[in-house]
Amino acid sequence: MSVYERDVIVYVVSDSAGDTGDLVVRAAAAQFHPIVPQIRRAPFIADETALAKVVELARGNGAIVLYTLVLPHLREAMVRLADGSGVEAIDLLGPLIHSLERKTGMPSRQEPGLNHVLDEDYFRKVEAVEFAVKYDDARDTTGIKKADIVLVGVSRTSKTPLSMYLAHKKYKVANVPLVPELKPPDELFTIPKERVIGLTIGVHYLNVIRKERLKALGLPDSASYATSERIERELAYAKGITDRIGCFTMDVSHRAVEETASIIMERIRSS
C-alpha cells in the first residue's frame, strides 16, 4: 500500500496581496483531495531580506514556494536564494511576463498589484462579497429576491465557500440551508427557478464530512447530525423542496468548489 505525504506546506510569496498564487495552489490541490496543503502567504514582499526569511522558513519546513513577483530584482533574488537553500520554488508570473514582452515588444510596467486597481469592476466584486456575507445561511431572507444566484441544500454541501467564490466572480449570492425542522423561506418559491441552484451530495460522503466536522468541534461523531439515517432524511426533504421549486440540482460529491462554481456560472450565463 502506498504511503502519501499528507503534511504539505506551500508558501505563496508576492510583492502584492498574493491572491493569484493562493488561487492557483488551491486549484492544483483540488486534484489531490482529500489532501489539503497548508497555504502560508507572504504578501507585500519589498526586499531581499524579507525573501530570505521566507526561504529559510520553507527550507526548515520542507515546503514548496510559489511566487508571483512582478519586480525583476525580486524574482532574481528568489531564484538565487531558493537554489542556495535547496528549496523548490515555482515562478508563476515571470515566464509569462517575459513571453508577453517578447511578443508585444513592450516592456512590462513592473508595478505590483495592478490587478487590484480600484475601478468599477473592483467595487462590484467588493459589493458581491459583502452581499454573500450578509445573506449567508438565510440570516436575512430578503436577500433571496435580490440575489443573482440562490444556493439551497443541506448542511455541509459547500454553500458558504461557493457563495464566496462566486462573489469573487462578481455574482451576488444568497444561500439557504434546508432543514426538515424549518419551513423554507417563502421567497424561494416566488423567484425565477433559473436563479436557484440545488446542491445535493452522496450519503456516505456527507457522513464522512459531518463526522470530521464534529471531531473538529470536539464533539462525538456519533451525534445524530452525522448518522446515515438523519442524512437520508435531510436529503429526501431537500429533494422535495428542489423538486417543488423546479430548479437545477447538482451533486457536489467529490467536486472541488472551483469545478462546482464553473458549472453554476455556465448554467446562469446560458439561462
Side-chain angles (χ1 to χ4, degrees):
M1 181 177 177
S2 299
V3 177
Y4 298 110
E5 176 61 58
R6 303 182 71 89
D7 188 19
V8 180
I9 300 172
V10 180
Y11 284 86
V12 174
V13 181
S14 177
D15 40 19
S16 184
D19 292 339
T20 301
D22 190 295
L23 285 172
V24 168
V25 174
R26 292 181 190 280
Q31 302 300 316
F32 299 89
H33 182 84
I35 295 174
V36 180
Q38 297 180 42
I39 300 176
R40 301 181 181 177
R41 284 203 203 189
F44 303 110
I45 294 292
D47 54 45
E48 187 172 334
T49 300
L51 278 181
K53 290 179 180 178
V54 177
V55 170
E56 182 60 27
L57 287 171
R59 187 185 67 80
N61 289 303
I64 298 169
V65 172
L66 183 139
Y67 58 99
T68 56
L69 297 167
V70 172
L71 299 173
H73 73 279
L74 290 180
R75 291 203 304 270
E76 293 166 5
M78 174 59 85
V79 171
R80 185 174 65 257
L81 290 165
D83 286 348
S85 299
V87 169
E88 183 177 358
I90 302 162
D91 184 356
L92 188 61
L93 290 184
L96 181 56
I97 289 174
H98 288 317
S99 294
L100 288 172
E101 286 179 331
R102 286 196 301 271
K103 190 70 175 177
T104 63
M106 174 183 175
S108 69
R109 292 171 62 177
Q110 299 181 13
E111 297 178 39
L114 287 182
N115 58 328
H116 292 288
V117 173
L118 302 184
D119 56 10
E120 182 181 351
D121 193 61
Y122 172 84
F123 287 111
R124 281 172 53 205
K125 184 185 297 185
V126 170
E127 184 180 6
V129 170
E130 291 175 344
F131 187 96
V133 171
K134 182 175 181 179
Y135 298 110
D136 182 46
D137 264 350
R139 285 194 292 257
D140 182 348
T141 59
T142 62
I144 292 173
K145 290 189 174 183
K146 305 172 188 174
D148 300 317
I149 302 170
V150 179
L151 304 176
V152 299
V154 302
S155 172
R156 313 309 293 176
T157 47
S158 300
K159 294 186 299 299
T160 296
L162 267 172
S163 295
M164 295 308 298
Y165 185 92
L166 290 166
H168 279 86
K169 300 295 183 181
K170 299 182 288 295
Y171 289 95
K172 292 182 179 179
V173 185
N175 74 76
V176 179
L178 298 179
V179 184
E181 292 78 14
L182 298 176
K183 179 179 179 293
D186 293 334
E187 292 89 343
L188 278 179
F189 308 99
T190 63
I191 62 174
K193 65 181 182 180
E194 291 78 14
R195 282 164 47 194
V196 184
I197 302 292
L199 305 175
T200 190
I201 192 170
V203 174
H204 173 72
Y205 193 56
L206 184 54
N207 177 259
V208 171
I209 292 173
R210 287 191 173 183
K211 283 184 175 181
E212 290 299 319
R213 177 59 175 164
L214 289 170
K215 287 179 184 177
L217 295 173
L219 299 171
D221 63 9
S222 57
S224 62
Y225 171 74
T227 63
S228 295
E229 294 77 14
R230 171 67 189 186
I231 290 171
E232 287 173 356
R233 180 185 168 208
E234 288 188 30
L235 290 173
Y237 171 77
K239 185 178 186 303
I241 298 297
T242 54
D243 285 352
R244 181 180 163 194
I245 296 169
C247 65
F248 171 71
T249 301
M250 63 182 299
D251 191 327
V252 298
S253 304
H254 306 291
R255 289 188 194 275
V257 167
E258 295 86 352
E259 181 186 359
T260 304
S262 178
I263 295 170
I264 291 172
M265 288 187 289
E266 183 62 31
R267 183 87 186 181
I268 293 297
R269 282 194 292 263
S270 63
S271 64

